[in-house]
Amino acid sequence: MNSRTKALKLKGQQALDPAILAAAASAIPTPLLPNFHQVVEALPAAIYVTDAEGRITYYNTAAAELWGCRPPLGDSRWCGSWRLYWPDGTPMAHEECPMAMAIKENRAITGMEAFAERPDGSRVRFMPFPKPLHDETGALIGAVNMLVDVTDRRSTEQRLDESETRYRGIFEGARVALWEEDFSAVLTLLEQLRAEGVTDLASHLNDHPETLARAIGLVRIRDVNDYSVELFAAERKDDLLSSLNRIFLPETQAVFAQELVALWDGHRRFESETTLRTLRGQPINAVFTIAFEGVRCERTLVSILDASALKAAQQALRDQKQRLKILNRVARIVSSDLDLERIVQTVTEVATEVSGAKFGAFFYKIGDNGSTSYALYALSGAKRETFGAFGLRRNTTLFEPTTLGFGPIRCDDIRADPRYGEIAQHFVPPEVGLPVTSYLAVPVVSKPGEVQGGLFLGHDEAGVFSQETEDIILGIAAHAAIAIDNAQLLRKAQIEVVQRGRAEEDLRRFAAIIESSQDAIISKDVDGIITSWNSGAERLFGYTAEEAIGRPVTMLIPPDRIDEEPGIIARIRRGERIDHYDTVRRRKDGSAIDVSLTVSPIKDSSGTIIGASKIGRDITDRKQAEKRQQLLVGEVKHRIKNLLATVQAIARQTLKGAPAEEREAFVARLMALANAQDLLTLERWNRAAVHDVVDRTLRPFEAKHSARFLTKGPQDVWVDAQRASLLTMALHELATNAVKYGALSNSYGVVSLTWEVTGKEDAQNVRLTWRELGGPLVLPPERKGFGSFLIERALQGGGGGAKLDFNPNGLICSLDVAL
């Protein structure tokens, strides 16, 4: 059977059946018998006992926790799980469970797995170990069973299997022979030699060939890829796993000795060239790289490249000794190097020198057919800035056979080719210093047939490139394609390893952050069932992770707010993120707590929403501070109003003898100031919105002159408390003046008041424009009164100010207030 799922932990204890206890205790040493019951209860494994009829007579606390319930003793049979399922999900009758099998067949059962479903619907995957119990006569008296939760282990195994599958795909798909070897025993041998006083390993191996032979025999071949089977003419992988001696020649042992010396000196990488043999005895000219991985070199990876074709090409070019030296040197680099940039540069330099070209370039393919272009990747024999003008930008008739992989193009004089006119703009004029006459282009095509780019060679003389040269460059291009393929495969493998390591590190870091967070971090599935619970959640809500996981998140929501959850789930299913919002949740003890919640959807690798993550923060202190603030603001508001009322009473008494108009004007100003203070204390003590200041100041005048104020401006514009008071006074004076002398002194005049934000972001103002229309003819005053003085002087400073324009058609006032 296979495996599955999770657990909800409960607590409890049942009485132990004396007969079964005696039978089970018969195998326990006598000193432990007085504490056997306590020992079983303390075990983390789920253990229960039945009689010969399968009736449960005892179970420990761990069993009750795994089952999620406490079945009655003596009535429940075979297993205490609410329901049972086979690993494939089909229901399992209790009469078919492993415990029933053990009693009915009178034998221990191992190697099976099943799912146990709890009453709350959650499931846990477990492995049972039932064993029959017998009395002194051998008669069956019952059975004992231990249930092991394997849910987390199976999840880990699945992730490892997926990672192994990706790695195996790269390993088996490489067109290079890859061998996984275990050098741990060899490393132990080297440590023994060092302990025996050996200091010069090379000399020791030369003097003791039996030690070298022993080291070769200690290498354990763990695996080879499919290409190794093909390269070494084996019928199956097992043919290559027995010993390295099957592919070693006498000259190979000398290179192996060099490997051991490198390992002795602490090097973890070794590269060389040697001769191996196939299982049919045919020699292979091989360039190999060995990487000693693992603490004990138990995961050593060997890559072997077949250089036989290159050797044949070298033999054919033996008469060109100087060129052969260059080709041999670079061929080794191309065969053993897995760095893409160095491979391409080396290939370009070799091709240029071997062909006798004045310059050579490798153009790399970019894009797909239909919109293909090529970028200069490497060059030789010319400066990049000079050669840049030669850059191919698209396919043309002359270049197509190369760029599409059809074959090489060789011209003794490119200027005489009828296709030259189409691509003349791609060549540099002679005066620039890079004329092209002889031309040779060879495609570089990977093993699957994909064009990787092309080698382009040029010379200013005609007839430089021969058929022999073309064949040589074709061979270089073929080796370059293999090397590039291998470099790309290695790069992909390295990226996979790095990404996997980063992902694992990110998971560990993420888990540590979540666990150490002071906030409650909870995840749930799309049905609202809790799937994770950090220590912050334990502190905030009082439930342990065992108590919370597997239960619906609604257990935290008070009854009067239970309708919040369906809306949250609906938004999560749509992929929405729910930013901070304040609400109330319920602790384990039933008390309410103010929290701020953020909810984000959780997606799997395919982008499907599988749940949600909630972050909850305790805002009790903040709520209490807000209440205290509201009380304080209310008290300040009350005292300011009382103070201004007292000032008004004193003013009326003091100004009894003054003209009524002046007395009322003074009192009106005090009332306007009181309104401004009242506005500031409604929500925020330190600032007020401009639209609120305008509305509150003009409200007394609009009551008598309805529909004669036209106001317009942005809503979210704020000024500080001091400027709000000064702006209130200025607007009050303007409105009072309009009622007495201006547009509001008749029955049809109107006042337009607009505002807008001006200035740069770091020094912004709000500009209010007061414009009166339809009033009496306006004449500039012979002298300025208190009102004009207040308007012009009150807002000065800090980038603010006021300007009065006594336009004959109506007063215009511009007020600038710093934000």
Side-chain angles (χ1 to χ4, degrees):
M1 276 197 288
N2 303 334
S3 61
R4 249 177 234 172
T5 203
K6 298 179 184 167
L8 175 68
K9 293 190 177 179
L10 304 174
K11 294 187 177 180
Q13 180 172 305
Q14 299 290 337
L16 190 64
D17 184 275
I20 302 303
L21 174 60
S26 61
I28 306 298
T30 301
L32 292 181
L33 283 177
N35 297 317
F36 174 68
H37 184 277
Q38 292 86 345
V39 169
V40 175
E41 281 299 317
L43 289 175
I47 297 175
Y48 71 98
V49 181
T50 71
D51 60 17
E53 299 300 324
R55 288 184 293 270
I56 298 177
T57 59
Y58 169 77
Y59 54 83
N60 66 353
T61 301
E65 292 172 349
L66 186 143
W67 292 332
C69 62
R70 306 188 68 85
L73 296 178
D75 293 334
S76 300
R77 297 188 69 192
W78 311 120
C79 182
S81 300
W82 184 256
R83 292 188 180 90
L84 290 171
Y85 296 89
W86 296 100
D88 62 3
T90 58
M92 175 194 293
H94 279 61
E95 292 78 7
E96 299 174 347
C97 73
M99 185 60 140
M101 293 173 58
I103 293 177
K104 293 176 181 179
E105 300 175 14
N106 197 14
R107 66 182 181 90
I109 303 298
T110 59
M112 297 182 68
E113 292 185 11
F115 283 109
E117 182 176 282
R118 303 187 182 94
D120 64 2
S122 61
R123 294 185 181 183
V124 60
R125 191 166 191 160
F126 68 93
M127 180 177 289
F129 295 91
K131 183 177 182 180
L133 298 174
H134 306 85
D135 61 12
E136 294 82 355
T137 65
L140 178 68
I141 61 173
V144 61
N145 196 359
M146 180 175 69
L147 308 178
V148 179
D149 185 349
V150 297
T151 304
D152 291 339
R153 188 187 75 188
R154 289 303 185 195
S155 177
T156 301
E157 290 174 354
Q158 182 178 356
R159 291 195 296 271
L160 291 176
D161 289 344
E162 292 173 354
S163 177
E164 177 67 15
T165 300
R166 289 193 297 270
Y167 168 75
R168 281 294 154 191
I170 297 173
F171 181 80
E172 294 295 349
R175 293 300 297 175
V176 59
L178 297 177
W179 294 51
E180 288 185 1
E181 299 176 353
D182 184 351
F183 265 67
S184 56
V186 176
L187 189 61
T188 300
L189 173 61
L190 297 182
E191 292 169 347
Q192 292 174 352
L193 293 176
R194 200 183 297 273
E196 293 171 1
V198 175
T199 57
D200 187 345
L201 181 63
S203 299
H204 178 82
L205 295 176
N206 187 56
D207 296 338
H208 298 83
E210 70 281 0
T211 303
L212 180 61
R214 181 185 173 192
I216 295 173
L218 289 175
V219 176
R220 186 167 71 90
I221 306 170
R222 302 174 63 179
D223 196 8
V224 298
N225 67 347
D226 292 338
Y227 183 72
S228 298
V229 176
E230 176 185 335
L231 180 63
F232 288 94
E235 294 184 2
R236 58 186 184 276
K237 287 187 177 183
D238 290 346
D239 296 338
L240 298 174
L241 301 181
S242 58
S243 172
L244 290 176
N245 286 315
R246 300 197 67 183
I247 63 169
F248 271 22
L249 292 170
E251 54 266 38
T252 312
Q253 297 183 1
V255 178
F256 185 81
Q258 297 174 14
E259 284 183 35
L260 297 182
V261 172
L263 185 58
W264 175 277
D265 293 337
H267 299 295
R268 285 283 176 157
R269 182 180 176 90
F270 179 78
E271 300 175 359
S272 186
E273 181 179 353
T274 188
T275 303
L276 301 171
R277 63 181 175 185
T278 69
L279 298 189
R280 297 175 183 174
Q282 297 172 332
I284 299 176
N285 294 310
V287 176
F288 72 95
T289 301
I290 180 168
F292 300 101
E293 298 291 343
V295 177
R296 301 290 299 171
C297 303
E298 69 276 7
R299 297 196 311 274
T300 296
L301 180 65
V302 182
S303 62
I304 303 172
L305 297 174
D306 180 10
S308 301
L310 179 61
K311 292 294 185 181
Q314 291 173 349
Q315 184 64 31
L317 296 173
R318 194 172 298 279
D319 56 330
Q320 304 178 26
K321 292 184 180 180
Q322 187 62 28
R323 293 179 181 176
L324 182 59
K325 290 180 181 179
I326 299 173
L327 181 61
N328 187 40
R329 173 179 58 84
V330 179
R332 284 201 306 270
I333 297 174
V334 169
S335 299
S336 60
D337 199 347
L338 293 176
D339 182 86
L340 183 61
E341 287 74 15
R342 288 200 299 267
I343 290 172
V344 174
Q345 185 63 46
T346 300
V347 167
T348 305
E349 292 175 356
V350 170
T352 303
E353 186 162 355
V354 170
S355 66
K358 277 291 184 69
F359 65 85
F362 187 98
F363 283 86
Y364 197 77
K365 178 182 176 183
I366 301 174
D368 300 322
N369 290 336
S371 61
T372 304
S373 61
Y374 293 82
L376 178 62
Y377 199 87
L379 63 92
S380 176
K383 294 181 179 179
R384 182 169 287 269
E385 55 269 22
T386 303
F387 200 84
F390 182 71
L392 301 180
R393 295 171 178 83
R394 64 183 187 277
N395 279 336
T396 64
T397 305
L398 183 62
F399 296 146
E400 259 189 350
T402 304
T403 57
L404 297 181
F406 295 152
I409 292 291
R410 177 165 51 91
C411 296
D412 290 338
D413 189 343
I414 190 68
R415 297 168 298 180
D417 193 289
R419 298 166 292 184
Y420 174 70
E422 301 177 12
I423 49 89
Q425 69 273 21
H426 293 296
F427 292 89
V428 183
E431 59 269 17
V432 177
L434 195 62
V436 178
T437 302
S438 292
Y439 170 77
L440 175 61
V442 175
V444 177
V445 185
S446 67
K447 190 73 173 179
E450 180 183 355
V451 178
Q452 298 166 328
L455 274 168
F456 295 87
L457 306 169
H459 201 286
D460 56 358
E461 297 179 4
V464 171
F465 306 128
S466 63
Q467 181 62 50
E468 181 183 7
T469 303
E470 180 180 318
D471 294 340
I472 293 172
I473 302 304
L474 280 170
I476 293 175
H479 285 286
I482 295 174
I484 292 173
D485 279 346
N486 292 333
Q488 290 173 339
L489 281 172
L490 178 64
R491 181 171 291 181
K492 290 179 181 177
Q494 290 171 335
I495 291 173
E496 170 71 18
V497 171
V498 171
Q499 289 177 340
R500 184 169 60 188
R502 287 176 179 173
E504 293 173 352
E505 180 63 26
D506 288 344
L507 285 175
R508 289 193 293 269
R509 187 183 300 111
F510 183 62
I513 291 172
I514 290 177
E515 191 57 31
S516 62
S517 173
Q518 295 299 312
D519 293 335
I521 302 178
I522 306 167
S523 63
K524 62 182 180 180
D525 61 22
V526 292
D527 296 321
I529 302 302
I530 297 172
T531 56
S532 72
W533 184 272
N534 75 334
S535 57
E538 291 187 7
R539 289 189 295 270
L540 186 61
F541 296 113
Y543 293 96
T544 65
E546 291 79 5
E547 293 173 321
I549 293 175
R551 297 180 63 184
V553 75
T554 50
M555 72 178 188
L556 304 175
I557 303 178
D560 61 335
R561 293 178 179 265
I562 201 68
D563 57 344
E564 290 183 8
E565 183 63 12
I568 293 174
I569 292 294
R571 293 180 63 182
I572 289 300
R573 289 179 187 272
R574 294 195 297 268
E576 298 180 18
R577 183 179 186 273
I578 303 171
D579 288 327
H580 289 286
Y581 74 97
D582 294 350
T583 186
V584 177
R585 289 296 180 258
R586 184 171 58 184
R587 291 191 178 99
K588 180 180 179 181
D589 61 8
S591 61
I593 180 172
D594 292 310
V595 295
S596 174
L597 292 182
T598 300
V599 190
S600 302
I602 299 174
K603 301 179 180 180
D604 62 14
S605 58
S606 64
T608 302
I609 296 174
I610 59 174
S613 171
K614 282 190 174 185
I615 300 177
R617 177 167 296 175
D618 184 357
I619 59 172
T620 302
D621 293 341
R622 194 191 81 192
K623 288 293 185 180
Q624 292 175 349
E626 289 175 354
K627 291 179 180 178
R628 289 193 297 270
Q629 182 183 27
Q630 290 174 357
L631 290 173
L632 177 61
V633 168
E635 180 63 23
V636 170
K637 172 182 175 180
H638 178 69
R639 293 191 180 192
I640 289 177
K641 280 191 170 184
N642 287 344
L643 179 61
L644 289 174
T646 302
V647 172
Q648 287 180 10
I650 295 173
R652 288 182 185 276
Q653 185 67 28
T654 304
L655 299 175
K656 256 183 191 180
E661 182 179 351
E662 294 181 5
R663 186 171 62 250
E664 293 305 321
F666 180 75
V667 172
R669 291 185 182 113
L670 286 178
M671 292 179 66
L673 184 60
N675 284 336
Q677 296 300 319
D678 192 42
L679 175 67
L680 290 171
T681 58
L682 287 177
E683 292 293 340
R684 297 176 176 84
W685 180 252
N686 62 338
R687 63 175 185 160
V690 171
H691 74 91
D692 286 337
V693 174
V694 171
D695 179 68
R696 184 61 66 93
T697 305
L698 300 183
R699 191 179 299 167
F701 299 95
E702 286 181 329
K704 296 181 180 180
H705 306 278
S706 60
R708 297 177 67 181
F709 284 97
L710 306 176
T711 61
K712 182 180 180 181
Q715 296 288 306
D716 193 21
V717 179
W718 300 78
V719 293
D720 63 29
Q722 180 181 2
R723 291 181 175 87
S725 298
L726 295 174
L727 179 59
T728 298
M729 297 299 296
L731 292 176
H732 173 79
E733 292 300 324
L734 288 170
T736 301
N737 183 75
V739 170
K740 291 181 178 181
Y741 313 111
L744 301 182
S745 63
N746 57 28
S747 60
Y748 49 84
V750 295
V751 174
S752 169
L753 177 57
T754 61
W755 62 92
E756 61 181 350
V757 177
T758 62
K760 297 182 180 179
E761 186 174 352
D762 56 346
Q764 289 186 323
N765 286 359
V766 58
R767 173 167 294 172
L768 296 94
T769 303
W770 176 284
R771 187 185 301 273
E772 298 183 19
L773 302 169
L777 181 67
V778 176
L779 296 174
E782 295 180 359
R783 65 180 183 82
K784 293 184 179 181
F786 177 78
S788 298
F789 177 82
L790 186 150
I791 293 171
E792 291 180 338
R793 297 297 180 89
L795 298 174
Q796 287 184 351
K803 179 181 179 183
L804 290 169
D805 180 6
F806 295 96
N807 189 291
N809 295 322
L811 176 68
I812 301 174
C813 180
S814 296
L815 304 174
D816 283 307
V817 185
L819 295 182

